[in-house]
Amino acid sequence: MSTYQNVRAKTFFHCCLFLFRLLSMISEYFGGVVSETVDKFEPDQLPVLMIIVKARSGLEVFSVLQGHISADELMGNLLTAVDSFQHVKEYDMREEAERWERQRMKDEQDAAYQASLAADKLKAEQKALERKEEQERLLEKERKAQKELQDKAKHEAYLKELRDGLPEEPSTQCGSRLATLRVRLPSGGTTMRRFLATDSLHMLFVFIESLGCPQAQYRVRVNFPRKEISALDSTMTLEEAGLCPQETLFVEEIM
């Protein structure tokens, strides 16, 4: 191969390499459509000027101007391309504004939904807490009622034990000296019982306690002459205390 042929071969190789690199660069920056358009140019069409504009989907070849056109034609094509790009730009701006508005509305709806969920959760927790408190209140009320019943039953059993422990009330025909006592209670009620004159004040106090008036909380007195019986020695007999043959006793709560 001659030197001339070598030079031509090298020149052709470099041209092909340059074209390959050019097409690769065009494809990378402007896309495959522009690259294919450039690849289709014939040598007799050169030089050319391609006007590439941004379209909605990317870049596209707006027009291809060959080198023989006039300056007016060139300027007209450039102005048309600028006008087309301006329309695309305005469309993109409107679309972006609409997209931003849709996103804003979605964010507001999401925030309102989350706030509603939080409010519903708070209401549910509050109701659960109220139900729990109500259940605890009812349980406490039930426990208190049961305790009151138990305490009442114990108290009544204690009073019955006191009554059962007292000797039988003597009859008026027993032949012994008696003390007939009328007991006026704090509630306003009155009860009457006979005792033997020789019975002790302690037995009287036990009887009064069996009526629900323990000596620690109540005092016993007579009015004429005024005297506090509960302050006397409990071993004294009723006769020694001056309660024979009959007397009215007043039971008062100690304040």
Side-chain angles (χ1 to χ4, degrees):
M1 181 180 296
S2 65
T3 302
Y4 175 72
Q5 290 175 331
N6 287 334
V7 171
R8 289 194 60 185
K10 289 181 180 180
T11 301
F12 178 76
F13 172 76
H14 286 299
C15 288
C16 291
L17 181 60
F18 172 76
L19 182 60
F20 174 76
R21 290 177 176 174
L22 176 63
L23 293 176
S24 297
M25 182 187 69
I26 293 174
S27 177
E28 180 180 357
Y29 289 99
F30 300 104
V33 175
V34 178
S35 177
E36 291 176 3
T37 302
V38 172
D39 192 36
K40 292 177 183 179
F41 287 152
E42 296 296 335
D44 59 350
Q45 294 177 304
L46 302 176
V48 296
L49 174 65
M50 287 193 308
I51 301 177
I52 302 172
V53 297
K54 183 181 182 301
R56 296 185 181 92
S57 58
L59 298 175
E60 65 179 21
V61 178
F62 180 75
S63 62
V64 178
L65 306 178
Q66 296 183 0
H68 57 75
I69 65 172
S70 66
D72 290 338
E73 289 177 317
L74 174 61
M75 183 58 65
N77 277 272
L78 290 175
L79 292 175
T80 303
V82 170
D83 185 59
S84 175
F85 172 71
Q86 190 64 30
H87 285 304
V88 172
K89 183 179 179 182
E90 290 174 358
Y91 175 84
D92 289 345
M93 291 175 65
R94 287 195 302 271
E95 191 174 63
E96 178 64 18
E98 292 173 358
R99 186 199 66 77
W100 183 88
E101 182 63 20
R102 288 194 300 270
Q103 185 62 41
R104 185 187 65 80
M105 292 179 62
K106 180 178 180 301
D107 292 342
E108 290 181 355
Q109 292 172 353
D110 290 344
Y113 176 69
Q114 293 299 327
S116 176
L117 287 180
D120 291 343
K121 182 180 179 182
L122 183 61
K123 289 180 180 178
E125 291 175 349
Q126 184 65 29
K127 288 183 178 179
L129 180 61
E130 291 175 356
R131 286 195 299 268
K132 182 179 178 181
E133 291 176 347
E134 179 64 15
Q135 290 174 354
E136 291 177 351
R137 187 185 66 80
L138 293 176
L139 287 174
E140 181 62 25
K141 183 178 180 181
E142 184 178 351
R143 284 194 295 267
K144 187 178 293 185
Q146 290 177 352
K147 186 176 185 306
E148 289 177 354
L149 288 175
Q150 292 172 356
D151 292 344
K152 183 178 180 181
K154 288 180 181 179
H155 184 62
E156 290 178 351
Y158 173 69
L159 297 181
K160 183 177 183 301
E161 183 180 352
L162 292 177
R163 290 192 295 269
D164 291 345
L166 290 171
E168 186 177 350
E169 184 177 8
S171 169
T172 56
Q173 306 299 323
C174 68
S176 299
R177 184 170 170 77
L178 300 177
T180 303
L181 303 178
R182 180 186 300 273
V183 181
R184 189 176 297 277
L185 300 172
S187 61
T190 300
T191 186
M192 183 179 291
R193 193 183 192 280
R194 292 183 299 274
F195 294 87
L196 293 175
T198 55
D199 288 339
S200 67
L201 287 177
H202 173 72
M203 186 178 297
L204 171 63
F205 297 152
V206 170
F207 170 71
I208 294 176
E209 185 170 356
S210 72
L211 300 176
C213 301
Q215 190 175 359
Q217 300 175 23
Y218 295 85
R219 59 172 169 258
V220 183
R221 66 174 177 82
V222 294
N223 280 344
F224 304 104
R226 187 175 182 85
K227 180 170 56 176
E228 188 170 335
I229 303 300
S230 53
L232 300 178
D233 186 354
S234 62
T235 62
M236 292 176 61
T237 65
L238 299 180
E239 188 169 16
E240 291 172 340
L243 301 179
C244 293
Q246 63 183 17
E247 188 59 84
T248 299
L249 304 176
F250 296 85
V251 181
E252 299 174 340
E253 186 175 3
I254 299 175
M255 302 303 292

